[in-house]
Amino acid sequence: MKKILVVVALAMFSFANAQKKGSILVMGSVSYNSQKRSNIPGDNTYNYFGFSPKVGYQFHENWAAGIESGVSTVKDKIPNSYSNKTNAFSVGGFLRYTKTLNQTFAAYADLGMGYQNTKHTYNNEAINSSTIDKGNGFYTNLTPAIFINVHNGFGLNFNIGGLEYGTLNYDGDSGETTSKNFNFTFGQSFSVGVSKNF
């Protein structure tokens, strides 16, 4: 809580306008999650890493457009039992509408869409077998967020979820399947990113 108050206090003393027509927007977020649980037949370890950069052009006081991408890795393992590994990649474009509330705060919404793929590897160590499934598809999402201008166009981005829809067509050792996902995560997730307008 103290860290949040410090960030808000710093933001209150900055008076630079973050969004300027003709500026370049660079932003991104890094996610990491590691868990270890004691189970039978062994300890379960779970690790997640994700990186999502964006680069855009502020072509209007309220509008920006650009490219976005994401990479992530998930590893889930119980020694001498099984291990799962999923690598995911996405690349696409986004359109952002920003409404400046004052010189420190702004609200914005990103509409993104593009291509995504994933590779899932499952190893059954008990019987020494493995399967590999690869999927390709597309995604679209709508993400509202709040921007806090910390200093001279550099700021923090906070969002609490949004709308996501995606499809993946799998082809691999488990056969051909199609996966369709619709997620409404507004109020159910939280993330923080950083951005800079040049």
Side-chain angles (χ1 to χ4, degrees):
M1 186 65 178
K2 291 182 180 178
K3 292 181 180 178
I4 294 175
L5 292 175
V6 170
V7 169
V8 172
L10 288 172
M12 296 300 284
F13 288 104
S14 64
F15 299 101
N17 187 13
Q19 284 80 30
K20 296 179 182 177
K21 182 179 176 181
S23 65
I24 302 296
L25 167 72
V26 178
M27 68 177 295
S29 62
V30 177
S31 305
Y32 179 75
N33 183 11
S34 180
Q35 300 177 21
K36 186 172 183 179
R37 298 181 292 270
S38 296
N39 291 322
I40 297 175
D43 292 339
N44 172 235
T45 58
Y46 173 90
N47 292 289
Y48 170 84
F49 173 79
F51 176 54
S52 303
K54 289 184 178 183
V55 178
Y57 177 71
Q58 192 86 26
F59 62 89
H60 182 273
E61 181 181 343
N62 301 107
W63 292 94
I67 58 173
E68 62 182 10
S69 64
V71 292
S72 66
T73 299
V74 178
K75 296 179 181 178
D76 188 17
K77 181 177 182 178
I78 295 180
N80 302 316
S81 179
Y82 76 89
S83 64
N84 279 309
K85 182 179 180 180
T86 302
N87 293 323
F89 170 76
S90 65
V91 63
F94 74 93
L95 180 66
R96 170 177 296 186
Y97 177 78
T98 303
K99 178 66 175 176
T100 302
L101 305 176
N102 56 40
Q103 292 178 321
T104 302
F105 295 96
Y108 69 87
D110 282 357
L111 174 64
M113 60 179 52
Y115 165 81
Q116 64 177 349
N117 75 10
T118 186
K119 179 182 178 182
H120 179 75
T121 304
Y122 175 78
N123 292 309
N124 188 330
E125 298 177 11
I127 60 174
N128 196 27
S129 70
S130 65
T131 59
I132 298 176
D133 294 304
K134 297 179 180 179
N136 295 286
F138 76 93
Y139 72 90
T140 183
N141 55 49
L142 179 63
T143 308
I146 295 292
F147 171 80
I148 299 178
N149 184 28
V150 177
H151 179 68
N152 198 26
F154 173 81
L156 300 175
N157 303 276
F158 297 89
N159 79 66
I160 54 172
L163 291 172
E164 302 173 358
Y165 176 77
T167 65
L168 285 167
N169 297 313
Y170 287 96
D171 184 13
D173 297 331
S174 300
E176 295 184 9
T177 58
T178 299
S179 171
K180 296 181 180 180
N181 293 299
F182 176 78
N183 296 314
F184 179 78
T185 60
F186 191 75
Q188 301 174 18
S189 64
F190 176 77
S191 68
V192 179
V194 295
S195 64
K196 170 67 177 172
N197 275 73
F198 295 93

